[in-house]
Amino acid sequence: MAEIQLKNVSKRWGAFVGVDNFNLTIADREFLVLLGPSGCGKTTTMRMIAGLEDATDGEIAIGDRVVNNLEPKDRDIAMVFQSYGLYPNMNVYDNIRFPLKVRKVDPSTHDERVMRAADMVELREFLHRKPAELSGGQRQRVALARAIVREPNVFLMDEPLSNLDAKLRVSTRAQIKNLQHELQVTTIYVTHDQIEAMTLADRVVVMQRGIIQQVGTPTDIYDKPANTFVAGFIGSPAMNLMNGTLKGGTFTGEHVEIAGLSGPDGPVTLGFRAEDAAVAQSSAEAEINAPVYTMELLGDATMITVKAGGALVSVKASKDYRIEIDETVGLHIPPEICHLFHHETGARLDA
């Protein structure tokens, strides 16, 4: 059992707060992603779980053991870093085997365990090669195999795909997802890439400035962001956010008027996703009428962006839709796709 509990965990360096009162229970065998921009505290949180950083306050438990005072080697975890950390003088086989030698695992089991780990990441034919003879994707798979061979209670992965190109990121991401399903090991994964978070996670923890902003399934966070930070961070493109005034259920702002909303009168921030809105069939159907700022061809769709209410607002149109920059376009924003947030705090207003 590798349930992980963090209770009131904080990390401070003098006056600087890296992680602030972090509370979370990570279920046994869960794939949890810590997501946020650089400097939000996600890697620090992982390093405290690993024992590479000491928590200033709070308690960290793995299974039924409080591990605050345990050395990293005694926490039964395996880490995969952004840098592969391979030994250049060893071939792939010996790199994968190395944790077994260090931990004095019965040598008679080494070969079977190394071959099983190598097969899981499709490296058997590369076992004789040195790291310098491998591509970036292959080196990352060696690092994964070296973690797998340990058979730990917990995997910790710190931005393991950051150094790979776009195509390799997609294929390696799929491999990590499949591995976690096959191994059934509690996994904590750190990333600033919201696509990685949405595709890999059972649950996502969105962080900003050391504080948890929202915890939920990818669907929860995408469909009901807790605040404007989460709304603006999750999604590709991120949620459109516009400032305006709500009065009697009608939101008004520059170039925009949307009726049929439910919320308190006064200044609010309204949000909606590009794929939920549409180019209006007529000006009478349009809630936004504004000049085109840019048009992007995405292959499966055309992204239309206008400038309205001081914000850039994007809507996805059909892949064959065409319009010129500066030409006025009408956008249809049904009230049921809209999200309302507090104008000052950014907190979600609608249920």
Side-chain angles (χ1 to χ4, degrees), residues 181-238:
H181 175 77
E182 191 173 333
L183 295 167
Q184 294 289 296
V185 174
T186 307
T187 301
I188 302 173
Y189 187 104
V190 162
T191 184
H192 63 273
D193 185 325
Q194 50 94 17
I195 294 175
E196 283 180 28
M198 298 293 284
T199 53
L200 287 171
D202 296 322
R203 281 192 306 159
V204 179
V205 178
V206 185
M207 298 181 67
Q208 183 192 29
R209 296 176 187 157
I211 297 171
I212 295 175
Q213 301 296 310
Q214 187 171 1
V215 181
T217 66
T219 303
D220 291 338
I221 286 174
Y222 190 84
D223 290 345
K224 286 199 168 184
N227 54 43
T228 49
F229 174 78
V230 178
F233 197 78
I234 299 290
S236 183

Side-chain angles (χ1 to χ4, degrees), residues 73-119:
K73 65 184 177 61
D74 298 323
R75 298 191 184 196
D76 199 12
I77 57 170
M79 284 196 77
V80 180
F81 296 95
Q82 180 179 347
S83 58
Y84 316 121
L86 305 180
Y87 298 102
N89 58 319
M90 295 183 187
N91 63 20
V92 169
Y93 182 97
D94 287 328
N95 264 286
I96 297 172
R97 182 188 177 200
F98 189 74
L100 302 178
K101 292 175 69 176
V102 169
R103 296 173 76 82
K104 297 182 169 55
V105 173
D106 179 1
S108 68
T109 68
H110 287 196
D111 191 63
E112 181 189 349
R113 287 173 67 167
V114 169
M115 299 310 279
R116 185 167 69 242
D119 285 342

Side-chain angles (χ1 to χ4, degrees), residues 256-273:
V256 56
E257 183 174 315
I258 304 172
L261 299 169
S262 176
D265 286 358
V268 296
T269 299
L270 178 138
F272 64 90
R273 295 209 176 273

Side-chain angles (χ1 to χ4, degrees), residues 33-46:
V33 173
L34 300 175
L35 173 68
S38 296
C40 73
K42 56 190 186 296
T43 294
T44 301
T45 302
M46 173 179 281

Side-chain angles (χ1 to χ4, degrees), residues 143-171:
L144 283 169
R146 191 174 55 189
I148 291 165
V149 81
R150 283 267 318 275
E151 298 177 5
N153 260 333
V154 179
F155 282 127
L156 303 178
M157 300 190 182
D158 189 7
E159 307 218 26
L161 307 185
S162 296
N163 292 338
L164 306 182
D165 63 40
K167 186 177 179 182
L168 269 175
R169 276 203 302 273
V170 172
S171 59

Side-chain angles (χ1 to χ4, degrees), residues 23-40:
N23 285 279
L24 187 68
T25 297
I26 303 159
D28 182 38
R29 304 181 184 182
E30 182 175 19
F31 196 124
L32 183 104
V33 173
L34 300 175
L35 173 68
S38 296
C40 73

Side-chain angles (χ1 to χ4, degrees), residues 242-306:
M242 307 175 70
N243 292 324
T245 302
L246 192 66
K247 186 174 182 180
T250 298
F251 175 87
T252 54
E254 186 185 352
H255 297 298
V256 56
E257 183 174 315
I258 304 172
L261 299 169
S262 176
D265 286 358
V268 296
T269 299
L270 178 138
F272 64 90
R273 295 209 176 273
E275 63 271 24
D276 294 335
V279 174
Q281 298 300 309
S282 66
S283 58
E285 189 189 66
E287 283 74 27
I288 294 177
N289 284 285
V292 174
Y293 183 79
T294 188
M295 181 186 75
E296 299 167 273
L297 307 180
L298 306 179
D300 62 336
T302 302
M303 188 75 75
I304 309 298
T305 302
V306 304

